[in-house]
Coordinates of all heavy atoms in Angstrom, one line a residue:
G92 N 0.2 -7.6 -14.0 CA -0.7 -6.6 -14.8 C 0.1 -5.4 -15.2 O 0.9 -4.9 -14.5
L93 N -0.2 -4.9 -16.4 CA 0.4 -3.7 -16.9 C 1.9 -3.8 -17.0 O 2.6 -2.8 -16.8 CB 0.0 -2.5 -16.1 CG -1.5 -2.3 -15.8 CD1 -1.8 -1.1 -14.9 CD2 -2.2 -2.1 -17.1
Y94 N 2.4 -5.0 -17.4 CA 3.9 -5.2 -17.3 C 4.7 -4.3 -18.2 O 5.8 -3.9 -17.9 CB 4.2 -6.6 -17.5 CG 4.0 -7.1 -18.9 CD1 5.1 -7.2 -19.8 CD2 2.8 -7.6 -19.4 CE1 5.0 -7.6 -21.1 CE2 2.7 -8.1 -20.7 CZ 3.8 -8.1 -21.5 OH 3.6 -8.5 -22.8
R95 N 4.1 -3.9 -19.4 CA 4.9 -3.1 -20.3 C 5.1 -1.7 -19.7 O 6.2 -1.2 -19.8 CB 4.2 -3.0 -21.7 CG 4.3 -4.3 -22.5 CD 3.9 -4.1 -23.9 NE 4.0 -5.3 -24.7 CZ 3.1 -6.2 -24.9 NH1 1.8 -6.0 -24.3 NH2 3.3 -7.3 -25.7
A96 N 4.0 -1.1 -19.2 CA 4.2 0.2 -18.6 C 5.0 0.2 -17.4 O 5.9 1.1 -17.2 CB 2.8 0.8 -18.3
K97 N 4.9 -0.9 -16.7 CA 5.8 -0.9 -15.4 C 7.2 -1.2 -15.8 O 8.1 -0.6 -15.1 CB 5.2 -2.1 -14.5 CG 3.9 -1.8 -13.9 CD 3.3 -3.0 -13.1 CE 2.0 -2.6 -12.5 NZ 1.4 -3.7 -11.8
A98 N 7.5 -1.9 -16.8 CA 8.9 -2.1 -17.2 C 9.5 -0.7 -17.6 O 10.7 -0.4 -17.3 CB 9.0 -3.1 -18.4
K99 N 8.8 0.1 -18.3 CA 9.2 1.4 -18.7 C 9.5 2.3 -17.5 O 10.5 3.0 -17.4 CB 8.2 2.0 -19.7 CG 8.7 3.4 -20.1 CD 7.6 4.0 -21.1 CE 8.0 5.4 -21.6 NZ 6.9 5.9 -22.5
N100 N 8.5 2.2 -16.5 CA 8.7 3.0 -15.3 C 9.9 2.5 -14.5 O 10.6 3.4 -13.9 CB 7.4 2.9 -14.5 CG 6.3 3.8 -15.1 OD1 6.5 4.8 -15.7 ND2 5.0 3.4 -14.8
L101 N 10.1 1.2 -14.4 CA 11.2 0.8 -13.6 C 12.6 1.3 -14.1 O 13.4 1.7 -13.4 CB 11.2 -0.8 -13.5 CG 10.1 -1.4 -12.7 CD1 10.2 -2.9 -12.7 CD2 10.0 -0.8 -11.3
V102 N 12.7 1.2 -15.4 CA 14.0 1.7 -16.0 C 14.1 3.2 -15.8 O 15.1 3.7 -15.4 CB 14.0 1.4 -17.5 CG1 15.2 2.1 -18.2 CG2 14.1 -0.2 -17.8
G103 N 13.0 3.9 -16.0 CA 13.0 5.4 -15.7 C 13.3 5.8 -14.3 O 14.1 6.7 -14.1
L104 N 12.7 5.0 -13.3 CA 13.0 5.4 -12.0 C 14.5 5.0 -11.6 O 15.1 5.7 -10.8 CB 12.0 4.7 -11.0 CG 12.1 3.3 -10.7 CD1 13.0 2.9 -9.6 CD2 10.6 2.8 -10.2
A105 N 15.0 3.9 -12.1 CA 16.4 3.6 -11.9 C 17.3 4.7 -12.4 O 18.3 5.0 -11.7 CB 16.7 2.2 -12.5
K106 N 17.1 5.2 -13.6 CA 17.9 6.3 -14.1 C 17.8 7.5 -13.3 O 18.8 8.2 -13.0 CB 17.4 6.5 -15.6 CG 17.8 5.4 -16.5 CD 17.3 5.8 -18.0 CE 17.8 4.7 -18.9 NZ 17.4 5.0 -20.3
K107 N 16.6 7.8 -12.7 CA 16.5 9.0 -11.9 C 17.2 8.8 -10.6 O 17.8 9.7 -10.1 CB 15.0 9.3 -11.6 CG 14.2 9.8 -12.8 CD 14.7 11.2 -13.2 CE 13.9 11.8 -14.3 NZ 14.4 13.1 -14.7
L108 N 17.2 7.6 -10.1 CA 17.9 7.3 -8.8 C 19.4 7.5 -9.0 O 20.1 8.0 -8.1 CB 17.6 5.9 -8.3 CG 16.1 5.6 -7.8 CD1 16.0 4.1 -7.4 CD2 15.8 6.5 -6.6
V109 N 19.9 7.0 -10.1 CA 21.3 7.2 -10.4 C 21.7 8.6 -10.6 O 22.7 9.2 -10.1 CB 21.7 6.3 -11.6 CG1 23.1 6.6 -12.1 CG2 21.6 4.8 -11.3
E110 N 20.9 9.4 -11.4 CA 21.1 10.7 -11.8 C 21.0 11.7 -10.6 O 21.8 12.6 -10.5 CB 20.2 11.2 -12.9 CG 20.4 10.5 -14.2 CD 19.3 10.8 -15.2 OE1 18.4 11.6 -14.9 OE2 19.3 10.2 -16.3
L111 N 20.0 11.5 -9.8 CA 19.7 12.5 -8.7 C 20.0 12.0 -7.3 O 20.2 12.9 -6.5 CB 18.2 12.8 -8.8 CG 17.6 13.3 -10.1 CD1 16.1 13.5 -10.0 CD2 18.3 14.6 -10.5
H112 N 20.2 10.7 -7.1 CA 20.3 10.3 -5.7 C 21.4 9.3 -5.5 O 21.4 8.4 -4.6 CB 19.0 9.7 -5.2 CG 17.8 10.6 -5.4 ND1 17.6 11.8 -4.7 CD2 16.7 10.5 -6.3 CE1 16.5 12.4 -5.1 NE2 16.0 11.7 -6.0
D113 N 22.4 9.3 -6.4 CA 23.5 8.3 -6.3 C 23.1 6.9 -6.2 O 23.7 6.1 -5.5 CB 24.4 8.7 -5.1 CG 25.8 8.1 -5.1 OD1 26.3 7.8 -6.2 OD2 26.4 7.8 -4.1
G114 N 22.0 6.6 -6.9 CA 21.5 5.2 -6.9 C 20.8 4.7 -5.7 O 20.3 3.5 -5.7
Q115 N 20.5 5.6 -4.7 CA 19.9 5.2 -3.5 C 18.4 5.8 -3.5 O 18.1 6.8 -4.1 CB 20.6 5.8 -2.3 CG 22.0 5.4 -2.2 CD 22.2 3.9 -2.2 OE1 21.6 3.2 -1.3 NE2 23.0 3.3 -3.1
V116 N 17.6 5.0 -2.8 CA 16.2 5.5 -2.6 C 16.2 6.6 -1.6 O 16.6 6.3 -0.5 CB 15.2 4.3 -2.2 CG1 13.8 4.9 -2.0 CG2 15.2 3.2 -3.3
P117 N 15.8 7.8 -1.9 CA 15.9 8.9 -0.9 C 14.9 8.7 0.2 O 13.7 8.2 0.0 CB 15.5 10.1 -1.8 CG 14.8 9.6 -2.9 CD 15.2 8.2 -3.2
N118 N 15.3 9.1 1.4 CA 14.4 9.2 2.5 C 13.6 10.5 2.5 O 13.8 11.3 3.4 CB 15.1 8.9 3.8 CG 14.2 8.8 5.0 OD1 13.0 8.9 4.9 ND2 14.8 8.7 6.2
D119 N 12.9 10.7 1.5 CA 12.2 12.0 1.2 C 10.9 11.8 0.4 O 11.0 11.2 -0.7 CB 13.2 13.0 0.5 CG 12.5 14.3 0.2 OD1 12.7 15.2 1.1 OD2 11.8 14.5 -0.8
F120 N 9.9 12.2 1.0 CA 8.5 11.9 0.4 C 8.4 12.4 -1.0 O 8.1 11.8 -1.9 CB 7.4 12.4 1.3 CG 6.0 12.1 0.8 CD1 5.4 10.9 1.2 CD2 5.4 13.0 0.0 CE1 4.2 10.6 0.7 CE2 4.1 12.7 -0.4 CZ 3.5 11.5 -0.1
D121 N 8.7 13.7 -1.2 CA 8.5 14.4 -2.4 C 9.4 13.8 -3.5 O 9.1 13.7 -4.7 CB 8.7 15.9 -2.3 CG 7.6 16.6 -1.5 OD1 6.5 16.0 -1.4 OD2 7.9 17.6 -0.9
A122 N 10.6 13.4 -3.1 CA 11.6 12.8 -4.0 C 11.1 11.5 -4.5 O 11.3 11.2 -5.7 CB 13.0 12.7 -3.4
V123 N 10.5 10.7 -3.7 CA 10.0 9.4 -4.1 C 8.8 9.6 -5.1 O 8.6 8.9 -6.1 CB 9.7 8.5 -2.9 CG1 9.1 7.2 -3.4 CG2 10.9 8.2 -2.1
V124 N 7.9 10.5 -4.6 CA 6.7 10.7 -5.4 C 7.0 11.2 -6.9 O 6.3 10.9 -7.8 CB 5.8 11.8 -4.8 CG1 4.7 12.3 -5.7 CG2 5.2 11.3 -3.5
A125 N 8.2 11.9 -7.0 CA 8.6 12.3 -8.3 C 9.2 11.3 -9.2 O 9.4 11.5 -10.4 CB 9.6 13.4 -8.1
L126 N 9.4 10.1 -8.7 CA 10.0 9.0 -9.6 C 8.9 8.5 -10.5 O 7.8 8.3 -10.1 CB 10.6 7.9 -8.6 CG 11.7 8.3 -7.7 CD1 12.0 7.2 -6.8 CD2 13.0 8.6 -8.6
P127 N 9.4 8.0 -11.7 CA 8.4 7.4 -12.6 C 7.7 6.2 -12.0 O 8.4 5.3 -11.4 CB 9.3 7.0 -13.8 CG 10.5 8.0 -13.8 CD 10.7 8.2 -12.3
G128 N 6.4 6.1 -12.2 CA 5.7 4.9 -11.7 C 5.3 5.0 -10.2 O 4.6 4.2 -9.7
A129 N 5.9 6.0 -9.5 CA 5.6 6.1 -8.1 C 4.4 7.1 -7.9 O 3.9 7.7 -8.9 CB 6.8 6.6 -7.3
G130 N 4.1 7.3 -6.7 CA 3.0 8.2 -6.3 C 2.9 8.3 -4.8 O 3.8 7.8 -4.1
R131 N 1.8 8.9 -4.3 CA 1.7 9.1 -2.9 C 1.7 7.7 -2.2 O 2.4 7.5 -1.2 CB 0.4 9.8 -2.6 CG 0.3 10.2 -1.1 CD -0.9 11.1 -0.8 NE -0.7 11.5 0.6 CZ 0.0 12.6 1.0 NH1 0.6 13.4 0.0 NH2 0.1 12.9 2.2
K132 N 0.9 6.8 -2.7 CA 0.8 5.5 -2.0 C 2.2 4.7 -2.0 O 2.6 4.2 -1.0 CB -0.2 4.5 -2.7 CG -0.5 3.3 -1.9 CD -1.2 2.2 -2.8 CE -0.2 1.5 -3.6 NZ -0.8 0.3 -4.2
T133 N 2.9 4.8 -3.1 CA 4.2 4.1 -3.2 C 5.1 4.8 -2.3 O 5.9 4.1 -1.5 CB 4.7 4.3 -4.7 OG1 3.9 3.5 -5.6 CG2 6.1 3.7 -4.8
A134 N 5.2 6.1 -2.2 CA 6.1 6.8 -1.3 C 5.7 6.4 0.2 O 6.7 6.2 1.0 CB 5.9 8.3 -1.4
N135 N 4.5 6.3 0.5 CA 4.1 6.0 1.9 C 4.5 4.6 2.2 O 5.1 4.3 3.3 CB 2.6 6.1 2.1 CG 2.1 7.5 2.3 OD1 2.9 8.3 2.7 ND2 0.9 7.8 2.1
V136 N 4.4 3.6 1.3 CA 4.8 2.2 1.5 C 6.3 2.2 1.7 O 6.8 1.5 2.6 CB 4.3 1.3 0.4 CG1 4.9 -0.1 0.5 CG2 2.8 1.2 0.3
V137 N 7.0 2.8 0.8 CA 8.5 2.7 0.8 C 9.1 3.3 2.0 O 9.9 2.7 2.7 CB 9.1 3.2 -0.5 CG1 10.6 3.3 -0.4 CG2 8.6 2.4 -1.7
L138 N 8.7 4.5 2.3 CA 9.3 5.3 3.4 C 8.9 4.7 4.7 O 9.7 4.7 5.7 CB 8.9 6.7 3.3 CG 9.4 7.5 2.1 CD1 9.0 9.0 2.2 CD2 10.9 7.4 1.9
S139 N 7.6 4.2 4.9 CA 7.2 3.6 6.2 C 8.0 2.3 6.5 O 8.4 2.0 7.6 CB 5.7 3.5 6.2 OG 5.3 2.5 5.2
N140 N 8.1 1.5 5.4 CA 8.7 0.2 5.6 C 10.2 0.1 5.6 O 10.8 -0.7 6.2 CB 8.1 -0.8 4.6 CG 6.6 -1.2 4.9 OD1 6.3 -1.9 5.9 ND2 5.7 -0.6 4.2
A141 N 10.7 1.1 4.8 CA 12.2 1.1 4.6 C 12.9 2.0 5.6 O 14.0 1.7 6.1 CB 12.6 1.5 3.2
Y142 N 12.2 3.1 6.0 CA 12.8 4.1 6.8 C 12.1 4.5 8.1 O 12.4 5.4 8.8 CB 13.1 5.4 6.0 CG 14.0 5.2 4.8 CD1 13.5 5.5 3.5 CD2 15.2 4.7 5.0 CE1 14.4 5.3 2.4 CE2 16.1 4.5 3.9 CZ 15.6 4.8 2.6 OH 16.5 4.7 1.5
G143 N 10.9 3.8 8.4 CA 10.2 4.1 9.6 C 9.4 5.4 9.6 O 8.9 5.9 10.6
Y144 N 9.1 5.9 8.4 CA 8.3 7.1 8.2 C 6.9 6.8 8.6 O 6.3 5.9 8.1 CB 8.4 7.5 6.7 CG 7.7 8.7 6.3 CD1 8.2 10.0 6.3 CD2 6.3 8.7 5.9 CE1 7.6 11.1 5.9 CE2 5.7 9.8 5.4 CZ 6.3 11.0 5.5 OH 5.6 12.1 5.1
P145 N 6.2 7.6 9.5 CA 4.9 7.3 9.9 C 3.9 7.7 8.7 O 3.9 8.9 8.3 CB 4.6 8.3 11.1 CG 5.6 9.4 10.9 CD 6.8 8.8 10.2
A146 N 3.2 6.7 8.2 CA 2.3 6.9 7.0 C 1.3 5.9 6.9 O 1.4 4.7 7.5 CB 3.2 6.9 5.8
I147 N 0.2 6.2 6.3 CA -0.9 5.3 6.0 C -1.1 5.3 4.5 O -1.5 6.3 3.9 CB -2.3 5.7 6.6 CG1 -2.1 5.8 8.2 CG2 -3.4 4.7 6.2 CD1 -3.3 6.4 8.8
A148 N -0.7 4.2 3.9 CA -0.8 4.1 2.4 C -2.2 3.5 2.1 O -2.6 2.4 2.5 CB 0.3 3.1 1.9
V149 N -3.0 4.3 1.4 CA -4.4 3.9 1.1 C -4.5 3.2 -0.2 O -4.4 3.8 -1.3 CB -5.3 5.1 1.1 CG1 -6.7 4.8 0.8 CG2 -5.3 5.8 2.5
D150 N -4.6 1.9 -0.2 CA -4.9 1.1 -1.4 C -6.4 0.7 -1.4 O -7.2 1.3 -0.6 CB -4.0 -0.2 -1.4 CG -4.4 -1.2 -0.3 OD1 -5.2 -0.9 0.5 OD2 -3.8 -2.3 -0.4

Side-chain angles (χ1 to χ4, degrees):
L93 306 175
Y94 72 93
R95 288 193 177 91
K97 290 176 180 178
K99 181 179 179 181
N100 284 332
L101 290 182
V102 173
L104 72 82
K106 289 181 177 179
K107 288 294 184 182
L108 290 177
V109 171
E110 293 170 5
L111 301 177
H112 307 291
D113 196 29
Q115 303 302 307
V116 177
N118 185 4
D119 179 89
F120 183 87
D121 291 334
V123 175
V124 169
L126 296 171
R131 186 175 191 89
K132 189 196 84 169
T133 296
N135 280 339
V136 170
V137 172
L138 296 185
S139 63
N140 289 284
Y142 299 124
Y144 179 93
I147 301 172
V149 178
D150 68 355

